[in-house]
Amino acid sequence: MAQNTPESAELAHLLRTGPFHLALRCALTARGLALTRVQHKLAQRGIKVGVTSLSYWQQGARRPQRPESLRAVRALEEVLELPAHSLLRLLVPEGGARLEAERPAARSYRSLVAPAGALQQLFAELETPADGGVHTLGHHERVLIGPRRELSARTSHQVVRAHRDGVDRYVAIHRGDTGCAPSRVRVRAAENCRLGRVRGDAESGVVVAELLFDARLRAGDTHVFGYAFEDGSGGPSTEYVRGFSFAGGHYVLQVRFDEAALPVRCRRFAQVSAGAPRSGRQELTLSGTHRAVHLVEQNVRPGILGIDWDWG
């Protein structure tokens, strides 16, 4: 779509405000596609929709609501080169409740974090559901191991997408090493969020922190934010793991070691759940200049990814 034209400005406005049929009609006009051509492009993607239905949709005579129709709307966004969920989010069923955006395959956090009971209790104190209403599209995490071999700090730069309306926060989880004192863990909100309530469990060394967004997200909205946990209270660290409830997304983990405490061996690994055997082991070479190792996962699956190391 051409930039800085009346047509592009009108389409951008309609994608924000709706209604659905006007946004669809404007997108079709902007792309210059006849309904028969759109039908053909949808068929190439395995979606069968009649020209009559497409015509009714753009006139506002009918609204796509059945599952197969919603799949067609998602495909229409691709055909018309529109942002993901930009049309879907405009579909509001009778009663005013907005449709949820597509939610990735998920696994319960109870299978990913041990002990699950402590985490469940902390979530209950925050009155936070296990599914916070967002899933991660991208996460770049940096972990710093200090001179006493302790987990000194970790920072996160994260991109999430809401799969329901009204999401205004993210609950970050930190699990320290043996001896971690949650009362000494400091949480810092960086960009595009503010620090809310923080709760910890002394026995397990688990800390949860609310990161508050400045606006409520609608289904399909994305948000970029950053935060950090400053620890250093635990004993020697031998691994760092990250659990993933949702499938999809891009994850980068970098572990950097203080020059006074360098490991003799580092490996990446994966687990299906917290109690499952570790698989996918791969040796990682420590960078001499930056004293760091990393892993990159392009398309995360529900489960656990991590890096462990030997001190020698």
Side-chain angles (χ1 to χ4, degrees):
M1 180 172 60
Q3 299 297 314
N4 301 320
T5 65
E7 293 80 10
S8 64
E10 180 185 11
L11 177 55
H13 174 74
L14 287 171
L15 289 175
R16 289 195 303 269
T17 64
F20 168 84
H21 71 282
L22 291 184
L24 175 59
R25 187 190 309 170
C26 187
L28 289 166
T29 301
R31 293 291 178 262
L33 291 175
L35 294 182
T36 52
R37 182 62 177 162
V38 172
Q39 181 192 39
H40 176 69
K41 287 179 173 290
L42 290 174
Q44 290 178 325
R45 291 167 168 78
I47 305 292
K48 294 183 178 180
V49 180
V51 171
T52 301
S53 293
L54 292 172
S55 179
Y56 283 159
W57 291 355
Q58 70 161 339
Q59 294 173 29
R62 291 182 184 174
R63 296 174 60 80
Q65 292 185 343
R66 294 181 301 174
E68 58 267 33
S69 297
L70 297 179
R71 285 195 295 271
V73 172
R74 284 193 285 269
L76 269 174
E77 292 168 349
E78 296 180 9
V79 169
L80 299 174
E81 301 176 12
L82 300 175
H85 305 292
S86 57
L87 287 177
L88 191 67
R89 64 192 289 180
L90 299 176
L91 292 169
V92 183
E94 294 297 325
R98 187 176 298 275
L99 291 173
E100 291 192 353
E102 187 175 11
R103 181 177 181 268
R107 176 176 296 164
S108 169
Y109 70 88
R110 293 177 181 85
S111 68
L112 305 176
V113 179
L119 185 60
Q120 186 174 7
Q121 177 59 39
L122 294 175
F123 271 55
E125 291 181 23
L126 296 180
E127 299 178 336
T128 299
D131 175 6
V134 296
H135 53 275
T136 298
L137 300 180
H139 191 172
H140 190 173
E141 193 164 27
R142 296 179 177 89
V143 175
L144 177 63
I145 305 300
R148 297 183 292 101
R149 301 180 175 181
E150 81 282 10
L151 195 164
S152 176
R154 66 178 184 88
T155 61
S156 285
H157 186 265
Q158 200 159 345
V159 185
V160 297
R161 168 171 283 139
H163 48 257
R164 67 166 181 259
D165 277 352
V167 178
D168 64 355
R169 68 197 61 202
Y170 177 83
V171 177
I173 303 169
H174 173 76
R175 185 184 181 192
D177 290 305
T178 302
C180 170
S183 61
R184 293 171 56 191
V185 176
R186 296 292 175 260
V187 189
R188 177 170 52 85
E191 60 180 326
N192 300 325
C193 63
R194 295 173 289 111
L195 184 61
R197 295 171 294 176
V198 178
R199 297 289 186 271
D201 179 75
E203 184 176 350
S204 64
V206 174
V207 177
V208 297
E210 282 184 323
L211 300 168
L212 308 176
F213 306 153
D214 290 334
R216 291 183 179 273
L217 305 182
R218 298 198 303 174
D221 282 350
T222 55
H223 191 67
V224 180
F225 61 104
Y227 56 94
F229 286 89
E230 299 172 355
D231 192 345
S233 64
S237 181
T238 59
E239 65 180 21
Y240 184 81
V241 300
R242 165 65 59 182
F244 298 91
S245 295
F246 294 101
H250 178 86
Y251 179 62
V252 178
L253 169 62
Q254 181 185 52
V255 181
R256 183 170 182 174
F257 299 88
D258 188 276
E259 62 182 354
L262 300 179
V264 297
R265 186 184 185 190
C266 300
R267 298 161 300 263
R268 67 168 288 168
F269 62 87
Q271 285 178 279
V272 174
S273 62
R278 294 184 172 180
S279 61
R281 285 194 172 275
Q282 179 183 344
E283 295 286 335
L284 301 176
T285 302
L286 188 70
S287 165
T289 303
H290 303 290
R291 307 181 301 278
V293 291
H294 73 276
L295 66 82
V296 177
E297 192 72 14
Q298 298 282 1
N299 191 21
V300 171
R301 298 179 181 179
I304 295 172
L305 291 172
I307 296 176
D308 62 12
W309 50 89
D310 298 327
W311 288 113

